[in-house]
Amino acid sequence: VQLQASGGGLVQPGGSLRLSCAASGFTLNSYNIGWFRQAPGKEREAVACISRSGGQTHHTDSVKGRFTISRDIAKNTVYLQMNSLKPENTALYYCAARAGIYFCPSDDFRRARADYWGQGTQVTVSS
């Protein structure tokens, strides 16, 4: 099981980025996928998740209405579209996979408990 996150970069406040999480070694129908982030000096926090069926998505309050999680089964890839970015969104963003039925959302999601983690992609929001 491998997860490859990409798409990060430097963007001005109010700008947009789309992160990608390419999965290999498993299909998205087998695992729930979450996006998490960690800013310097802070704990890792949950951002958004999508269930293994694809039928359930969840976005935390801090990103609701600005970020959208989605997936492309054919490409075995999960995306995080981030709009109206703010400086406080600056962090290393990770995607992770979690087995099981109840993850999105759940305490495991909110506490960033996952089975497999990608390497992270840096998002910097600055003028």
Side-chain angles (χ1 to χ4, degrees):
V1 173
Q2 287 191 328
L3 298 163
Q4 181 75 35
S6 62
L10 174 64
V11 63
Q12 292 187 342
S16 298
L17 281 174
R18 189 179 77 158
L19 305 184
S20 299
C21 176
S24 59
F26 70 99
T27 63
L28 294 180
N29 290 328
S30 303
Y31 284 86
N32 308 282
I33 302 295
W35 282 101
F36 304 85
R37 65 187 178 190
Q38 187 166 19
K42 295 188 177 181
E43 293 186 353
R44 191 170 296 185
E45 65 171 336
V47 177
C49 61
I50 185 166
S51 65
R52 61 183 188 177
S53 71
Q56 178 71 36
T57 62
H58 176 78
H59 303 79
T60 59
D61 288 345
S62 63
V63 305
K64 197 171 293 183
R66 299 187 299 118
F67 291 12
T68 304
I69 190 170
S70 63
R71 71 180 192 178
D72 185 329
I73 290 293
K75 295 183 178 180
N76 218 34
T77 299
V78 174
Y79 303 99
L80 184 68
Q81 178 66 45
M82 305 187 297
N83 299 328
S84 302
L85 282 161
K86 304 175 181 180
E88 53 263 41
N89 299 142
T90 295
L92 190 59
Y93 283 71
Y94 299 89
C95 59
R98 176 77 170 184
I101 298 174
Y102 303 110
F103 179 72
C104 184
S106 67
D107 282 345
D108 283 342
F109 166 69
R110 284 183 282 270
R111 296 179 183 183
R113 293 174 180 166
D115 299 317
Y116 303 99
W117 290 87
Q119 85 290 1
T121 184
Q122 179 67 38
V123 172
T124 301
V125 185
S126 175
S127 56

